[in-house]
């Protein structure tokens, strides 16, 4: 009896919404009601639980229903006050949930931050939401990314939850490749390709230097031990918690030496995760600001690496990684956005000029050591969870020859 009464109420609510919708006149509201109609005419978009979302991290699109239980700030940390930003929230099946393994971390895309970010809307804690997005990792944790719709459960979507200017979802399938991301570059070659890639990858979020510590623990996690990171040159697996300044701690290596262009550690090239890697403090210091080239004698504590007075040769397993990081920096930083234009050249001893070498060696290394699973995962984590931009030469190794061939 109770069930049928609820059904009747639900039906009545639908009818009421349907009746009200035609009365609203603004284009935004009309678009909202169109979206509703489109949604109901396709396959049923019934919300799934948070538990189901955690069990289906396969990149598919879904609407997840859950209670706001805080803001994730790291893989295992969810804060419930003093929210640092409007960029993320955590949902759970219970409003009282405190165990992060029973939460899904939701990326709040730009247009929803003002209405659903916890820094601006701390009273959302405990509210029940329906959020639509892609079931994929966020902060290296079960996640819902690239979100396209947010709604408070029980609130008619046409009145308060339709974002003002976002386009209604036109496709239901999530992108299965990076083709959408690179759409404006695909088909171009040479300088036109470089320009198109710059315009794509310069868009994103930036970290401060302190946030880089947390990010590197996710991007460079040892696949065989989630408590550790892998050090770039040393190849050593070392506890995430041993970051610091001691000789055998790890710190933040700028693969594009930060003195080349003198950008330091201010937000920008100095904090760009695409070229920052964990490295042993003394090894980092030994590499210093040398350009990359072959030759020299074995570097202390970094088996397989060679160094002489003017160059550093990384171990074979990361030669291509180093090359692609340097090439990314050239394309990402082209001036005109407040940061120095960085350029790769065919020299060593570049000193504080905004150049890095040695191009001919880096091109060989790129061919010799193609992208592997570790490097691709790292690129994806940076895209999903931190900067929301990509290194094109990991996704499209053939573009290196098109630009520098
Ligand atoms: Ca050391
Ligand atoms: Ca490699
Ligand atoms: Ca450049």
């Amino acid at each position: 009896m109770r069930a049928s009464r609820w059904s009747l109420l639900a039906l009545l609510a639908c009818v009421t919404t349907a009746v009200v919708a035609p009365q609203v006149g603004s284009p935004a509201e009309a678009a909202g009601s169109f979206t509703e109609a489109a949604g109901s005419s396709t396959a049923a978009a019934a919300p799934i639980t948070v538990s189901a979302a955690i069990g289906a991290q396969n990149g598919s699109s879904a609407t997840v229903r859950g209670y706001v239980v805080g803001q994730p700030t790291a893989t295992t940390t969810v804060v419930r006050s003093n929210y640092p930003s409007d960029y993320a929230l955590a949902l759970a099946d219970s409003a009282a949930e405190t165990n992060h393994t029973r939460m899904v971390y939701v990326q709040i895309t730009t247009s929803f931050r003002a209405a659903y970010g916890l820094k601006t809307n701390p009273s959302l804690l405990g509210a029940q939401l329906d959020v639509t997005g892609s079931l994929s990792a966020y902060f290296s944790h079960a996640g819902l990314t690239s979100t396209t719709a947010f709604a408070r459960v029980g609130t008619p979507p046409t009145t308060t939850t339709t974002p003002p200017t976002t386009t209604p979802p036109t496709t239901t399938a999530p992108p299965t490749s990076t083709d959408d991301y690179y759409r404006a570059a695909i088909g171009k070659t040479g300088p036109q390709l470089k320009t198109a890639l710059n315009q794509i990858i310069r868009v994103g979020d930036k970290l401060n230097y302190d946030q880089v510590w947390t990010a590197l623990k996710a991007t460079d996690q040892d696949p065989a031990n989630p408590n550790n990171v892998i050090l770039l040159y040393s190849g050593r697996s070392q506890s995430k918690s041993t970051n610091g300044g001691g000789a055998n701690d790890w710190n933040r290596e700028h693969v594009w030496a930060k003195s080349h262009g003198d950008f330091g550690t201010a937000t920008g090239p100095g904090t760009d995760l695409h070229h920052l890697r964990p490295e042993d403090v003394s090894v980092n210091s030994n590499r210093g600001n040398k350009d990359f080239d072959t030759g020299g004698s074995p570097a202390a504590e970094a088996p397989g690496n060679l160094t002489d007075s003017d160059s550093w040769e990384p171990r074979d397993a990361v030669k291509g990684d180093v090359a692609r990081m340097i090439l990314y920096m050239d394309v990402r930083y082209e001036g005109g956005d407040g940061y120095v234009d960085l350029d790769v050249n065919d020299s060593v001893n570049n000193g504080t000029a905004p150049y890095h070498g040695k191009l001919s060696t880096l091109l060989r290394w790129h061919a010799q050591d193609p992208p592997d699973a570790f490097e691709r995962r790292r690129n994806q984590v940076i895209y999903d969870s931190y900067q929301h931009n990509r290194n094109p030469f990991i996704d499209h190794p053939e573009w290196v020859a098109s630009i520098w061939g």
Side-chain angles (χ1 to χ4, degrees):
M1 192 60 198
R2 180 171 295 173
S4 64
R5 185 182 298 172
W6 277 114
S7 308
L8 192 62
L9 280 173
L11 183 65
L12 199 59
C14 290
V15 168
T16 306
T17 307
V19 167
V20 169
Q23 297 174 339
V24 299
S26 82
E29 285 166 334
S33 60
F34 172 77
T35 305
E36 284 297 294
S40 59
S41 68
T42 56
I48 63 173
T49 64
V50 169
S51 169
I54 293 168
Q57 291 285 298
N58 54 17
S60 64
S61 178
T63 298
V64 179
R65 176 168 292 182
Y67 294 94
V68 178
V69 291
Q71 176 174 2
T73 56
T75 304
T76 59
T77 309
V78 174
V79 300
R80 293 174 61 85
S81 60
N82 299 317
Y83 305 109
S85 73
D86 287 330
Y87 290 8
L89 58 78
L91 291 178
D93 287 325
S94 158
E97 188 60 71
T98 55
N99 182 338
H100 77 87
T101 67
R102 288 193 286 269
M103 299 176 186
V104 67
Y105 291 178
V106 176
Q107 176 184 28
I108 308 176
T109 45
T110 314
S111 51
F112 299 104
R113 288 175 187 162
Y116 291 96
L118 284 167
K119 184 175 186 184
T120 304
N121 309 278
S123 67
L124 271 179
L125 190 70
Q128 194 179 22
L129 300 184
D130 282 348
V131 185
T132 304
S134 170
L135 293 169
S136 54
Y138 193 42
F139 287 90
S140 301
H141 183 282
L144 186 66
T145 62
S146 306
T147 44
T148 56
F150 283 70
R152 281 188 84 138
V153 175
T155 309
T158 50
T159 53
T160 58
T161 60
T162 302
T165 56
T166 51
T167 51
T170 51
T171 57
T172 49
T176 53
S177 73
T178 56
D179 286 0
D180 281 347
Y181 182 73
Y182 292 118
R183 190 157 303 285
I186 288 169
K188 294 192 166 72
T189 58
Q192 288 75 30
L193 174 60
K194 192 182 184 204
T195 301
L197 290 176
N198 166 260
Q199 284 166 2
I200 294 167
I201 68 177
R202 69 197 293 160
V203 177
D205 287 336
K206 299 174 187 70
L207 278 62
N208 65 40
Y209 200 43
D210 201 47
Q211 292 168 320
V212 169
W213 285 127
T214 309
L216 290 181
K217 293 175 186 178
T219 57
D220 289 73
Q221 178 173 300
D222 180 349
N225 182 348
N227 299 317
N228 286 12
V229 289
I230 303 272
L231 309 187
L232 176 65
Y233 307 126
S234 322
R236 206 163 72 212
S237 176
Q238 176 159 336
S239 171
K240 288 177 177 176
S241 64
T242 59
N243 58 308
N248 291 326
D249 289 341
W250 63 269
N251 65 3
R252 297 159 289 189
E253 155 74 349
H254 292 78
V255 174
W256 182 293
K258 61 186 187 297
S259 63
H260 292 218
D262 200 22
F263 49 73
T265 58
T267 291
T271 63
D272 192 325
L273 292 175
H274 282 293
H275 84 117
L276 285 163
R277 291 291 192 100
E279 187 47 75
D280 175 274
V281 166
S282 56
V283 173
N284 188 340
S285 158
N286 190 12
R287 186 259 155 148
N289 65 351
K290 289 169 187 165
D291 289 273
F292 293 104
D293 196 7
T294 51
S297 42
E301 290 181 60
N305 295 250
L306 302 175
T307 189
D308 59 21
S309 62
D310 61 14
S311 72
W312 182 270
E313 177 179 350
R315 62 193 171 103
D316 288 349
V318 299
K319 279 183 163 71
D321 307 50
V322 165
R324 287 179 284 276
M325 287 189 266
I326 296 294
L327 299 176
Y328 161 89
M329 292 296 278
D330 181 338
V331 175
R332 165 62 186 85
Y333 296 99
E334 295 281 62
D337 62 351
Y339 303 115
V340 61
D341 178 3
L342 303 175
D343 285 324
V344 65
N345 69 6
D346 207 33
S347 305
V348 293
N349 286 319
N350 276 307
T352 58
Y355 305 132
H356 219 296
K358 181 180 181 182
L359 177 61
S360 53
T361 305
L362 294 170
L363 295 179
R364 269 203 323 279
W365 291 351
H366 167 64
Q368 172 186 333
D369 172 37
D372 67 5
F374 184 90
E375 201 180 347
R376 281 196 293 269
R377 175 191 171 277
R378 180 174 210 282
N379 197 25
Q380 192 65 36
V381 171
I382 295 172
Y383 179 71
D384 285 339
S385 304
Y386 296 102
Q387 295 180 184
H388 317 301
N389 73 338
R390 308 186 68 91
N391 181 332
F393 307 115
I394 296 171
D395 295 319
H396 283 271
E398 75 280 9
W399 282 343
V400 169
S402 180
I403 296 173
W404 289 282

